[in-house]
Amino acid sequence: IRKGALEAIAGTKAAAELDALRVKYLGKKGELTAVLKLMGSLSAEERPVMGQMANEVRAAVEKAVEAQSAILEKAALEAKLKAETLDITIPGKEVALGHKHPMYTVLDEIKQVFLDMGFEIMDGPEIELESYNFTKLNAPESHPSRDWTDTFYLTEDSKILLRTQTSPMQIRAMEEHGVPIRMISPGRVYRKDEVDATHSPMFHQIEGLVVDKGVTMADLKGTLNAVIKAIYGADSVTRFRPHHFPFTEPSCEVDIQCHKCGGKGCPTCKGEGWIEVLGAGMVHPKVLRNCGIDPDEYSGFAFGMGLERFAMGHFKISDLRLIFENDERFLQQF
Ligand code: PHE
């Protein structure tokens, strides 16, 4: 019995198999129990010898079962650990990464040009007071841009609106900052325009303002020429055209000569030869006075440029809508 049992126990591969053997040898109807039951038929001399032997066998079998049980448990744990191990060689799931929008690439470039020239960057509200968007900027009550068909008013009394230009930041800069000032302020503006290839009810402008003693139109031209050359290249050609804005006097619009046709006229510039890139002018004395600055002591210039227009020129984008639609097929090209 002993030999058979020990060999069988050592050969088991699973806990259930081992348990079956334990019952087979040590159980109530087991082989060893059967031997003990026969003890009664033995002689008085044989009985203690047989009893001792039986006990030795029982102890040996019990010990073997215990040892084999420990071995099987350890093997089972090892197998489980092996099966559950994290396989760090399996390739991970690919995460689609975005990148900077082309318009912000252009904005960052423009910002850097101004920062290098000593300008500060200001941020201001898109929900604006009518007084900042129009009145303090010297726009007469009858000015067409004040019309409800052009401007998004947020209150019945027309006192609060979505700013139609970043020019209210001129007022905020002068009121909050005081002179001297050298700042730009990029941001969103809103107008009731139908969407097409060159119009959107929301677009971006970059306002600029310089106020100090003795600032002249020559400073305006020099600064804007330097900026345009930095962005469009040293060989770019500009043209300053007289214009009108309520808050600057004199006022001008700045065109850049079409790089495609060199001013002759082609589809890129719609046959014009020139592309308008910004509005500018010397800050109107009334505007300075509205902000508590003495126009006899200080003067300044201001400008406003359309960011989308710069981005479209920079990346040769033909339709403004592409900038806002966030179509991945478009964005992935940059
Ligand atoms: N705010 C003007 C516009 O939206 C641009 C401008 C800004 C012109 C500053 C002159 C000075 O058209």
Side-chain angles (χ1 to χ4, degrees):
I1 290 175
R2 181 186 192 142
K3 193 165 175 259
L6 294 189
E7 270 173 15
I9 287 167
T12 54
K13 296 256 181 301
E17 211 182 317
L18 181 62
D19 202 50
L21 282 181
R22 187 184 55 77
V23 173
K24 184 178 175 206
Y25 291 106
L26 305 175
K28 269 186 193 155
K29 292 175 183 161
E31 287 183 24
L32 207 58
T33 317
V35 170
L36 290 172
K37 274 180 190 156
L38 290 174
M39 294 274 275
S41 61
L42 294 178
S43 67
E45 297 91 62
E46 284 174 319
R47 226 177 276 162
V49 181
M50 200 58 187
Q52 200 190 342
M53 249 168 78
N55 279 335
E56 274 173 23
V57 172
R58 166 177 284 273
V61 171
E62 275 173 354
K63 212 176 142 199
V65 167
E66 226 167 84
Q68 184 67 6
S69 172
I71 288 170
L72 288 180
E73 257 173 46
K74 201 174 159 217
L77 181 65
E78 263 165 21
K80 200 175 165 205
L81 282 177
K82 212 172 172 188
E84 285 179 359
T85 300
L86 191 65
D87 184 352
I88 56 164
T89 66
I90 292 174
K93 281 183 194 149
E94 207 178 313
V95 178
L97 274 187
H99 61 79
K100 206 191 278 177
H101 189 284
M103 197 182 72
Y104 282 93
T105 304
V106 173
L107 176 58
D108 287 349
E109 205 176 294
I110 295 172
K111 274 184 180 172
Q112 196 55 52
V113 170
F114 281 106
L115 286 171
D116 290 347
M117 294 174 88
F119 282 64
E120 225 177 282
I121 295 172
M122 284 186 72
D123 197 16
E126 291 170 28
I127 295 173
E128 188 53 281
L129 295 170
E130 167 275 328
S131 57
Y132 282 78
N133 196 83
F134 293 125
T135 311
K136 291 185 180 189
L137 284 166
N138 198 35
E141 288 300 325
S142 60
H143 199 271
S145 64
R146 286 176 177 264
D147 206 287
W148 274 69
T149 57
D150 290 338
T151 297
F152 290 102
Y153 286 98
L154 300 179
T155 53
E156 280 292 324
D157 62 4
S158 309
K159 287 275 185 276
I160 299 173
L161 44 74
L162 292 178
R163 66 180 178 190
T164 63
Q165 50 187 357
T166 44
S167 297
M169 285 309 292
Q170 292 181 34
I171 307 295
R172 291 187 178 275
M174 288 188 270
E175 284 186 355
E176 288 162 25
H177 209 283
V179 283
I181 299 169
R182 218 184 294 174
M183 73 90 180
I184 59 163
S185 184
R188 295 189 186 92
V189 301
Y190 302 83
R191 293 181 193 174
K192 285 190 179 172
D193 284 331
E194 292 291 335
V195 176
D196 66 25
T198 53
H199 292 88
S200 161
M202 184 282 291
F203 57 101
H204 297 75
Q205 287 187 332
I206 303 172
E207 196 74 13
L209 177 69
V210 173
V211 182
D212 206 342
K213 287 178 178 163
V215 174
T216 69
M217 192 86 185
D219 297 312
L220 180 158
K221 282 192 78 172
T223 304
L224 293 181
N225 270 334
V227 167
I228 287 167
K229 282 184 194 298
I231 296 165
Y232 281 94
D235 55 349
S236 55
V237 181
T238 53
R239 173 174 86 174
F240 289 70
R241 252 184 313 106
H243 199 73
H244 173 78
F245 298 106
F247 38 89
T248 47
E249 181 57 35
S251 304
C252 61
E253 275 190 331
V254 183
D255 299 334
I256 164 165
Q257 194 173 67
C258 180
H259 55 274
K260 272 255 175 82
C261 60
K264 286 188 203 73
C266 71
T268 303
C269 53
K270 295 193 185 111
E272 300 276 328
W274 297 85
I275 299 165
E276 182 213 316
V277 288
L278 52 86
M282 300 305 293
V283 181
H284 199 293
K286 274 194 189 168
V287 174
L288 290 174
R289 230 176 268 125
N290 287 343
C291 300
I293 296 169
D294 181 0
D296 293 328
E297 204 181 340
Y298 286 93
S299 58
F301 68 84
F303 55 90
M305 48 209 237
L307 179 54
E308 285 80 2
R309 193 176 285 246
F310 265 85
M312 287 169 79
H314 192 287
F315 289 117
K316 315 224 174 349
I317 299 165
S318 58
D319 195 314
L320 177 67
R321 285 166 286 199
L322 289 167
I323 293 180
F324 301 124
E325 278 168 355
N326 286 338
D327 186 328
E328 276 193 49
R329 291 167 301 179
F330 168 74
L331 294 177
Q332 275 166 2
Q333 295 175 44
F334 301 97

